[in-house]
Amino acid sequence: MHNPNRRDFLIQSTALTAGLLSAPGLLTSASARPLKNPMPRWKGFNLLDFFSPDPAKGRPATTEEHLQWMADWGFDFIRLPMAYPSYVQFDRSKPITVAEVRNIDTQATDRIEQLVYLAQKYGLHVSLNLHRAPGFCVNAGFEEPYNLWQDAQAMDDFVYHWAFWAKRFAQTSSKKISFDLLNEPCTREDMNDQHSKRGPIPGELYRKMALEASQAIRAHNPEHFIIADGNNVGSSVIPEITDLNIAQSCRGYNPGIISHYKAPWVFKETDNLPKPKWPGQVGDKYLSRAMLEAQYEPWIALTKQGVGVHCGECGCFNKTPHAVFLAWFEDVLDVLKTNGIGYALWEFRGSFGLLDSGREDVVYEDWHGHKLDRKLLDLLRKY
């Protein structure tokens, strides 16, 4: 599928008809044709407790105190990007085998469940996300036994994992939990090469994945709230699924020269990159708010078709000058807010985060033993 522009999207989205189902806070009646985003404008953070395939190499655990701070600051949303190997039992001295993919470790899933319920205690909606699913991850660093987009067994195992989570939270209200199917779907020339060329998943294949997973999830609770990340690494709307009662998740990382300046997993060479500015000429491009407005046009059109939209990830690596980051990010947040779209910062703590980001040009505030980026917090609370 090519990257749809506004005209293409409006043509393709005529498939959305009165047959759309409604779910609380997700879609309105198709006949109503809403003028704003029908999805709640949740605001919060990605928490990386279960992000690593190897729990021994994971991030420090999120505490109850952290969750209380989020709520006290006015946030109401967390996204949990999970690597399925983090909660599966297998011989970690070797690559995982197909036979081991379904060996779910209930002690590990209990820890995930405990964090979910603890977050909900503070009024935070929790969105479970498979960041690494059987047979696919946008990141390298773990050897999969098959390819989600090519192997039927991988797709079956992917659906199995979502059925497990849907059953686990079958009695939890859609106001408290949602299911974000797969982080940033894309094709990869080489799954083990972080810099390999990426492209969009064919629309009919994306639909197959979303349909099978959503059916398995809603078999346990027909009101379960489901989200699909944009195609082509989260950048493109998915017109092929607008009839499936599934919200869609965009990204807030454009342009990458600002959001991922000197990030080694994005740029092979980081020493000779043009210095980021906002707005301004950077390399061969003039960077401005206009490019953001063009980027989000198809997503805004999607909301007007009755499909919920949320920005599941946004933020900036700690090598970008702080003043440039804040100027750019305020435009990102303002465009999102103007169109009723919520967001989740990547991340709460760490190099993209609100706490302990390791920036060299920030005067941090001491916050209960953490280094708080007060200017970033003030900006987030403003939007």
Side-chain angles (χ1 to χ4, degrees):
M1 185 185 80
H2 67 296
N3 293 342
N5 58 30
R6 182 179 175 83
R7 177 179 177 276
D8 293 330
F9 171 75
L10 291 175
I11 292 172
Q12 295 176 69
S13 64
T14 56
L16 183 65
T17 67
L20 283 172
L21 299 175
S22 62
L26 176 56
L27 301 180
T28 60
S29 168
S31 62
R33 301 191 64 80
L35 298 178
K36 63 180 181 179
N37 186 5
M39 184 174 174
R41 202 173 81 85
W42 290 313
K43 300 179 295 180
F45 304 91
N46 283 263
L47 301 184
L48 308 190
D49 298 52
F50 310 104
F51 177 72
S52 173
D54 185 353
K57 299 177 181 179
R59 302 293 185 93
T62 299
T63 68
E64 183 168 0
E65 190 175 36
H66 297 148
L67 298 168
Q68 184 170 8
W69 295 341
M70 295 176 207
D72 289 347
W73 286 330
F75 300 102
D76 59 3
F77 178 88
I78 63 169
R79 180 174 181 260
L80 284 182
M82 303 181 297
Y84 82 91
S86 72
Y87 61 83
V88 167
Q89 293 179 327
F90 65 100
D91 183 352
R92 295 184 182 273
S93 69
K94 305 174 184 177
I96 194 170
T97 66
V98 172
E100 294 171 315
V101 168
R102 297 193 185 193
N103 292 344
I104 290 178
D105 179 354
T106 55
Q107 289 187 332
T109 57
D110 283 348
R111 290 191 288 272
I112 295 173
E113 184 180 273
Q114 288 165 6
L115 180 56
V116 170
Y117 289 138
L118 193 59
Q120 291 170 348
K121 173 182 174 181
Y122 290 94
L124 301 169
H125 178 96
V126 179
S127 188
L128 295 179
N129 165 251
L130 277 182
H131 190 278
R132 175 171 293 280
F136 175 78
C137 184
V138 71
N139 296 338
F142 183 86
E143 187 174 337
E144 293 291 337
Y146 42 27
N147 187 310
L148 177 63
W149 310 112
Q150 299 173 5
D151 300 304
Q153 185 60 54
M155 188 67 72
D156 288 347
D157 291 341
F158 172 73
V159 171
Y160 177 88
H161 276 256
W162 273 125
F164 170 85
W165 288 114
K167 183 178 180 180
R168 191 86 174 219
F169 294 103
Q171 303 306 315
T172 304
S173 166
S174 62
K175 294 180 180 179
K176 295 182 177 182
I177 197 163
S178 55
F179 302 84
D180 182 347
L181 299 178
L182 183 64
N183 184 72
E184 299 177 359
C186 62
T187 58
R188 292 276 296 273
E189 289 180 331
D190 182 351
M191 289 295 293
N192 293 313
D193 179 2
Q194 190 64 60
H195 297 283
S196 67
K197 186 177 179 181
R198 303 172 186 179
I201 299 299
E204 65 277 10
L205 188 53
Y206 198 121
R207 179 181 174 85
K208 172 181 170 62
M209 178 272 287
L211 182 60
E212 292 190 14
S214 63
Q215 287 175 337
I217 290 169
R218 289 187 173 136
H220 294 283
N221 183 336
E223 297 300 314
H224 270 330
F225 194 131
I226 300 172
I227 302 170
D229 283 9
N231 203 343
N232 200 13
V233 200
S235 66
S236 303
V237 299
I238 317 138
E240 294 85 2
I241 68 168
T242 54
D243 63 324
L244 298 183
N245 190 25
I246 295 175
Q248 298 191 27
S249 179
C250 61
R251 291 295 179 266
Y253 292 136
N254 183 39
I257 191 61
I258 288 183
S259 67
H260 287 73
Y261 180 60
K262 292 191 175 182
W265 65 93
V266 175
F267 298 100
K268 287 185 177 181
E269 301 293 335
T270 60
D271 293 336
N272 298 313
L273 294 172
K275 189 173 181 179
K277 302 175 186 177
W278 188 269
Q281 190 74 30
V282 179
D284 60 355
K285 293 183 179 180
Y286 185 81
L287 309 184
S288 69
R289 181 184 174 107
M291 69 187 300
L292 299 177
E293 292 173 340
Q295 170 195 351
Y296 290 114
E297 264 195 4
W299 298 96
I300 295 164
L302 192 64
T303 69
K304 294 177 180 178
Q305 295 297 313
V307 179
V309 172
H310 187 262
C311 183
E313 291 184 22
C314 57
C316 189
F317 188 46
N318 63 10
K319 297 299 186 290
T320 302
H322 198 238
V324 174
F325 162 39
L326 294 180
W328 161 76
F329 201 41
E330 179 153 21
D331 276 344
V332 171
L333 294 175
D334 188 55
V335 171
L336 293 174
K337 181 178 180 180
T338 298
N339 294 284
I341 299 172
Y343 64 83
L345 183 74
W346 186 281
E347 52 199 309
F348 185 59
R349 292 178 295 160
S351 58
F352 279 71
L354 186 63
L355 298 178
D356 307 326
S357 60
R359 296 181 183 276
E360 297 179 353
D361 56 349
V362 172
V363 178
Y364 288 103
E365 176 181 327
D366 179 68
W367 183 264
H368 302 277
H370 293 280
K371 293 181 177 180
L372 170 64
D373 186 341
R374 173 62 70 172
K375 287 185 177 181
L376 176 55
L377 174 58
D378 289 345
L379 179 62
L380 292 169
R381 295 181 72 184
K382 180 179 176 181
Y383 291 94

